[in-house]
Amino acid sequence: MSTHSRHIQLMDTTLRDGEQTQGVAFTPMEKVSIAKALLQFLRVDRIEVASARVSEGEKEAVSLINQWAQQEGFAERVEVLGFVDHTRSVDWIKSTGGKVINLLAKGSEKHCREQLGKTLDQHSADVLQTITYAHQQGLKINVYLEDWSNGYKDSRDYVYGLMERLQQAPISHFMLPDTLGVMAPDEVFASFSDMCQRYPALQFDFHPHNDYGLATANVMAAVRAGVSAVHCTVNCLGERAGNASIAEVAVVLRDKMAMELSVDESHLVRISEMVENFSGKRVAANAPIVGADVFTQTAGIHADGDQKGGLYKTKLGPERFSRIRSYALGKMSGKASLKKNLEQLELDLSEEDQKKVLARIVSIGDSKQTITTDDLPFIIADVLESKSYQHIKLLACSINSGLDLPSTVSIRVDVKGEKHQTTGAGSGGFDAFIDAIGKVLQHYEYTLPTLADFEIRIPKGGHTSALTECVITWDCGTELRKTRGVHVNQVFAGILATIKLINIQLHEKANSPQA
């Protein structure tokens, strides 16, 4: 059992195994960009970039990566999966300028017998033949034992027999995959402890898969048992449930096992975003380290605890990963959550104004789960310009719209204590509302001014869930007036801006000398 601190290599296989994710295919230039980011910025120890003999596009990508890697001194850190085919994979890799072959041998007797139709001796001879040729061509050689986890469980003598035949060959890394993601941490620890103790002079890599959600835990067990390298992908890309996440593995090995790594954590999120964009596979908002929400506190009590002394902070600080901590605003918000967001915006509000803004946030939170810092200026502007006039209250409003059909609205309002219910129709939801509210207001000898301008805005970023700000300019005869409405629905934002103007003008009318 190896628990002392030591350097663990991380080999990223996003560009090879990660590209076996359903629906993922990187272009040559995307592959080059990811390879550069992995080696130059994230500083992983090795990258596996392709499988030999796949396509001309793959050959172009590997050639470009190797050309760049040669210039930058990374040539021997770029690896390509090759097959037991004597000269063909080796020649393909050589033609791209490659320096390293990761040879795919059969790590289970079942695969050897049923897929190849060969005995252990026959397969070993084929593997050694390809290794000899690769060595003659000047390639560095690593060997995968495909389906090793099942092979070790079901036919251990086969695994030992293969190792006995290969251990004297010029192999740098024996790479042991849990190909189908079937292992649990105790199984990983027991099997790797056996392999490391049985062959102490050899270097072993662990290649985990995440079918049971145990990939990171299995990595910990393998490192504890003595492996020298671990294979990962960005954003857990890979077949089926994917591979181990490089972000999770890097942070766990550092924080929980005190291992030494080459990885620069400050680039984990940036490369996650790059791979997310190129792959089209979205990262879950709650994904550890790289998810959009993992450094967001939602409950007001958490923000309060952080305000009073970092009570809810851990080693996983956002600054570590070039991120910032945020405090979500919504129905669970408290004063501390609002205060943290105001600090971020460099705004200072009085206690009374903070109460008003917080009340509005909680109210909006019932219909919009999270309010962002970008939404906040809209809410503040709306609340601070609002007067406490309640001459008219919108009690209920239902809008129906259809393609190529007129919109209809049903409203219930309270005007000076008297309730009215009516309907309206128009070319859109807002137009239908104007029709309906006009019918009510004629009882009070009030006519809405003409619209001079109608502007809809959402905060920067363009999220579909963003708050909508509607600013309406009214032609009031002697002057132009602007009112603002803020809501998650743009039609209702316009309606709220209209109600605000009506309240202002009814108030002025009630307090005019002629009233």
Side-chain angles (χ1 to χ4, degrees):
M1 179 168 154
S2 185
T3 55
H4 63 282
S5 179
R6 63 190 194 282
H7 186 270
I8 301 296
Q9 285 190 358
L10 294 188
M11 190 270 263
D12 185 279
T13 183
T14 301
L15 297 176
R16 198 278 298 173
D17 210 354
E19 202 176 26
Q20 292 174 200
T21 308
Q22 170 63 27
V24 173
F26 299 116
T27 67
M29 290 316 300
E30 287 172 344
K31 279 202 159 195
V32 172
S33 297
I34 294 170
K36 288 180 178 180
L38 286 168
L39 288 172
Q40 205 165 37
F41 299 110
L42 192 57
R43 301 213 313 255
V44 298
D45 299 280
R46 298 147 53 200
I47 59 174
E48 189 177 44
V49 299
S51 298
R53 300 167 38 217
V54 167
S55 68
E56 284 306 309
E58 196 81 327
K59 192 170 188 177
E60 178 191 355
V62 177
S63 298
L64 289 169
I65 291 169
N66 282 325
Q67 184 180 349
W68 170 81
Q70 185 71 39
Q71 293 169 353
E72 298 296 326
F74 295 130
E76 292 203 354
R77 292 163 63 178
V78 177
E79 304 173 5
V80 176
L81 182 76
F83 306 97
V84 181
D85 53 17
H86 192 195
T87 63
R88 287 183 294 168
S89 288
V90 173
D91 289 347
W92 191 94
I93 293 168
K94 283 283 290 181
S95 71
T96 67
K99 304 292 184 184
V100 185
I101 182 172
N102 291 343
L103 189 60
L104 189 66
K106 293 299 183 183
S108 71
E109 190 274 335
K110 186 176 182 181
H111 272 221
C112 182
R113 170 173 42 85
E114 296 190 9
Q115 196 167 41
L116 300 181
K118 296 193 175 185
T119 64
L120 171 60
D121 283 335
Q122 290 171 326
H123 183 48
S124 299
D126 292 342
V127 173
L128 288 168
Q129 182 189 45
T130 303
I131 287 173
T132 299
Y133 182 70
H135 189 58
Q136 290 170 349
Q137 296 302 309
L139 294 186
K140 181 180 175 183
I141 301 147
N142 303 317
V143 173
Y144 273 112
L145 272 59
E146 185 186 9
D147 198 39
W148 167 81
S149 52
N150 280 317
Y152 185 87
K153 177 171 65 76
D154 299 332
S155 50
R156 203 167 298 182
D157 287 342
Y158 171 89
V159 173
Y160 295 154
L162 184 60
M163 290 298 301
E164 294 297 331
R165 288 161 174 79
L166 299 182
Q167 65 177 331
Q168 298 304 320
I171 299 170
S172 299
H173 292 260
F174 285 84
M175 309 196 293
L176 308 183
D178 183 12
T179 302
L180 298 177
V182 297
M183 302 183 89
D186 56 340
E187 296 168 312
V188 172
F189 180 75
S191 55
F192 270 99
S193 294
D194 175 39
M195 295 294 286
C196 292
Q197 290 165 16
R198 190 175 289 268
Y199 308 103
L202 304 181
Q203 285 199 77
F204 289 107
D205 291 14
F206 179 39
H207 180 99
H209 277 262
N210 200 38
D211 295 68
Y212 280 96
L214 293 170
T216 303
N218 285 344
V219 166
M220 295 178 72
V223 169
R224 217 171 263 125
V227 301
S228 57
V230 173
H231 299 186
C232 315
T233 61
V234 178
N235 299 343
C236 302
L237 291 185
E239 287 194 85
R240 305 180 312 278
N243 294 33
S245 159
I246 192 165
E248 292 178 32
V249 166
V251 171
V252 165
L253 291 185
R254 272 202 173 116
D255 287 9
K256 299 300 179 183
M257 301 188 74
M259 294 296 157
E260 297 170 11
L261 304 172
S262 302
V263 166
D264 182 347
E265 294 175 342
S266 67
H267 290 278
L268 283 169
V269 176
R270 291 192 190 97
I271 195 164
S272 168
E273 291 170 349
M274 176 191 288
V275 171
E276 181 181 35
N277 289 332
F278 289 164
S279 68
K281 296 291 184 180
R282 298 301 166 215
V283 174
N286 61 348
I289 315 303
V290 297
D293 293 346
V294 296
F295 296 112
T296 300
Q297 301 278 35
T298 300
I301 191 172
H302 292 169
D304 183 63
D306 286 346
Q307 187 83 18
K308 293 176 178 175
L311 303 184
Y312 293 90
K313 293 180 180 177
T314 71
K315 252 187 188 181
L316 286 177
E319 299 79 14
R320 229 174 122 172
F321 311 107
S322 298
R323 301 185 69 179
I324 60 170
R325 190 176 303 281
S326 62
Y327 296 85
L329 296 167
K331 63 184 179 182
M332 296 176 67
S333 298
K335 286 191 297 183
S337 299
L338 176 59
K339 204 163 195 176
K340 287 286 188 182
N341 279 276
L342 291 173
E343 286 172 6
Q344 194 172 327
L345 292 170
E346 298 182 351
L347 292 176
D348 188 22
L349 297 182
S350 68
E351 286 291 326
E352 188 59 34
D353 285 340
Q354 284 186 45
K355 285 180 186 176
K356 291 178 184 176
V357 171
L358 186 58
R360 186 69 194 279
I361 287 169
V362 172
S363 171
I364 293 173
D366 281 329
S367 57
K368 176 176 163 59
Q369 189 175 14
T370 303
I371 296 159
T372 68
T373 305
D374 291 331
D375 292 323
L376 192 53
F378 285 4
I379 297 171
I380 293 171
D382 185 42
V383 169
L384 296 191
E385 77 175 16
S386 295
K387 306 297 182 183
S388 57
Y389 308 146
Q390 294 291 318
H391 299 285
I392 182 170
K393 299 177 189 175
L394 184 65
L395 303 177
C397 181
S398 174
I399 299 172
N400 289 299
S401 295
L403 184 65
D404 296 329
L405 293 172
S407 296
T408 59
V409 67
S410 175
I411 62 170
R412 191 156 53 89
V413 294
D414 181 317
V415 183
K416 299 179 179 180
E418 188 175 348
K419 293 182 174 56
H420 301 265
Q421 186 161 333
T422 190
T423 60
S427 57
F430 183 74
D431 190 37
F433 171 78
I434 294 296
D435 181 48
I437 200 70
K439 294 175 184 177
V440 173
L441 294 173
Q442 67 185 7
H443 299 297
Y444 298 89
E445 299 179 357
Y446 173 85
T447 303
L448 268 169
T450 305
L451 268 69
D453 191 29
F454 186 97
E455 182 184 2
I456 289 287
R457 294 195 306 158
I458 62 171
K460 61 183 180 180
H463 298 296
T464 56
S465 62
L467 282 179
T468 302
E469 179 190 57
C470 178
V471 178
I472 302 178
T473 305
W474 307 90
D475 184 351
C476 298
T478 58
E479 63 175 337
L480 293 177
R481 280 189 162 178
K482 289 188 177 184
T483 55
R484 180 196 322 264
V486 174
H487 198 274
V488 293
N489 181 302
Q490 64 181 30
V491 176
F492 283 103
I495 289 171
L496 293 177
T498 304
I499 293 292
K500 193 175 290 185
L501 177 81
I502 297 169
N503 261 316
I504 291 170
Q505 293 200 316
L506 288 179
H507 184 79
E508 289 173 349
K509 187 177 179 182
N511 290 278
S512 68
Q514 293 82 17

